Amino acid sequence: MRPSKWKIPAILLMIFSCALTATASDDEAQIRAAVMKYFEGIGEGSFEKLSSAFHSKSRMLTAEKDDTGNAYLKIWEMEPTIKRWSKSTPPKRERTHEILNMHIMDGRLASVSFDLDGRYYDLLTLAKMDGEWKIINKAFIRQKK
């Protein structure tokens, strides 16, 4: 019996869709792992985990207000920030985290909204570089209480 003219394209489409889904799932898992290295690295004061999560040229920024109440953008280079974080004393209390949203674009760029310990909202930008997801930018605000 001869297959219908639609069976072969349908089978190829299913195979392609499964491969695409596997790649997206792999990327999502690797992005989650990078975000967890960041979270655990801060909590443990681990230079290794933090350095593994962030690209060495990444930056961190937030909107601040000066003494007169005018808003400005405060920027930190991550390399010295990671060194400072890794020398800090890990907190003694239980810490929490939650990925609020993740969006992967073209398998090469991702954004992650992250609740850090119920104290900060982070917006992380990650890029896939040499097959590995790295945080290339971190913007944050303190949560309103």
Side-chain angles (χ1 to χ4, degrees):
M1 180 176 359
R2 202 163 183 231
S4 77
K5 64 181 179 180
W6 296 108
K7 281 187 180 176
I8 292 174
I11 291 169
L12 290 173
L13 182 61
M14 285 180 8
I15 291 169
F16 180 71
S17 294
C18 289
L20 221 66
T21 302
T23 302
S25 296
D26 291 345
D27 284 336
E28 185 175 322
Q30 290 174 22
I31 291 165
R32 286 182 183 281
V35 173
M36 286 310 298
K37 286 179 197 172
Y38 154 58
F39 176 73
E40 292 169 357
I42 290 176
E44 299 167 9
S46 170
F47 180 81
E48 291 76 22
K49 284 185 179 180
L50 290 165
S51 295
S52 177
F54 286 90
H55 186 276
S56 62
K57 301 290 184 194
S58 60
R59 290 184 168 71
M60 177 172 68
L61 12 86
T62 192
E64 294 276 333
K65 289 194 176 187
D66 63 19
D67 295 337
T68 62
N70 293 320
Y72 71 97
L73 187 62
K74 187 170 183 176
I75 303 171
W76 295 264
E77 300 290 327
M78 282 311 294
E79 200 166 3
T81 301
I82 288 170
K83 288 178 184 172
R84 183 174 32 87
W85 283 349
S86 62
K87 291 177 183 173
S88 62
T89 305
K92 292 181 172 53
R93 63 180 169 70
E94 182 82 22
R95 298 173 59 244
T96 62
H97 65 281
E98 181 182 3
I99 292 178
L100 304 171
N101 188 6
M102 180 187 303
H103 186 70
I104 304 169
M105 294 152 277
D106 199 24
R108 297 177 294 153
L109 187 67
S111 63
V112 174
S113 302
F114 188 68
D115 180 336
L116 178 62
D117 209 19
R119 298 176 64 202
Y120 297 96
Y121 288 122
D122 288 348
L123 182 57
L124 306 170
T125 305
L126 295 92
K128 193 171 193 178
M129 304 175 73
D130 296 326
E132 188 176 2
W133 286 96
K134 294 280 190 176
I135 300 169
I136 59 171
N137 189 55
K138 170 189 153 122
F140 73 95
I141 57 170
R142 185 177 287 278
Q143 292 184 21
K144 293 181 180 178
K145 295 289 177 182

